[in-house]
Amino acid sequence: MERTLSIIKPDAVAKNVIGKIVDRFESNGLRIVGMKKIQLSKSDAGKFYEVHAGRPFFGELVEFMTSGPVVAMVLEGENAVAKNRELMGATNPKEAEAGTIRADFAQSIDANAVHGSDSLENAKIEIDFFFAGRELL
């Protein structure tokens, strides 16, 4: 069993599709073991995405991620990292396969509805960023 982090980004929260996205995870064998709706500060968003700090899109990413609330979740299941990434679809929703979260709910490569950990190592780091151990059931 693996755990991974998923974030429903401000664009999808604003569209009121949280439940539809959660259903995708649960209907595909992933269990939610932690979940919270929060408003990221610029400092928090900057720390979370610091791996991208040198890239030209970093400032816009921080602005976007602080533009409204997000829903952070810890998903658990067999091959959770890969399963979540498969369900999300390609970063660019125009390239995402039909039926994926990004194909169905994302507006653009920037406002792409969801974030998901890209490895078990990063999942651990990202989960620890958002959740204390006692918050995970």
Side-chain angles (χ1 to χ4, degrees):
M1 291 299 252
E2 292 179 359
R3 286 186 173 180
T4 190
L5 183 82
S6 176
I7 301 173
I8 301 176
K9 294 182 178 182
D11 58 315
V13 171
K15 285 183 185 175
N16 204 30
V17 294
I18 296 167
K20 291 177 181 179
I21 293 172
V22 167
D23 181 59
R24 300 279 178 103
F25 299 134
E26 292 181 326
S27 295
N28 284 280
L30 295 172
R31 190 170 74 96
I32 297 168
V33 296
M35 183 159 136
K36 60 173 84 172
K37 187 176 187 181
I38 59 173
Q39 176 71 50
L40 292 172
S41 68
K42 288 187 181 189
S43 173
D44 284 341
K47 286 176 192 166
F48 184 75
Y49 285 108
E50 71 184 345
V51 67
H52 299 302
R55 297 187 176 172
F57 61 83
F58 178 73
E60 290 175 8
L61 177 60
V62 169
E63 285 296 319
F64 170 65
M65 290 301 291
T66 59
S67 68
V70 300
V71 176
M73 293 175 282
V74 177
L75 306 174
E76 182 179 76
E78 201 169 313
N79 299 311
V81 172
K83 174 65 79 176
N84 181 33
R85 296 192 67 77
E86 176 186 327
L87 293 170
M88 288 190 311
T91 303
N92 183 345
K94 292 177 182 172
E95 298 171 2
E97 287 188 38
T100 62
I101 293 168
R102 288 179 172 148
D104 292 345
F105 302 116
Q107 304 172 137
S108 67
I109 196 166
D110 298 318
N112 64 6
V114 287
H115 164 91
S117 302
D118 63 2
S119 68
L120 278 174
E121 179 182 66
N122 284 337
K124 170 83 171 106
I125 293 166
E126 292 178 353
I127 289 167
D128 290 347
F129 184 89
F130 280 99
F131 292 90
R134 69 183 176 279
E135 295 178 295
L136 303 177
L137 305 174

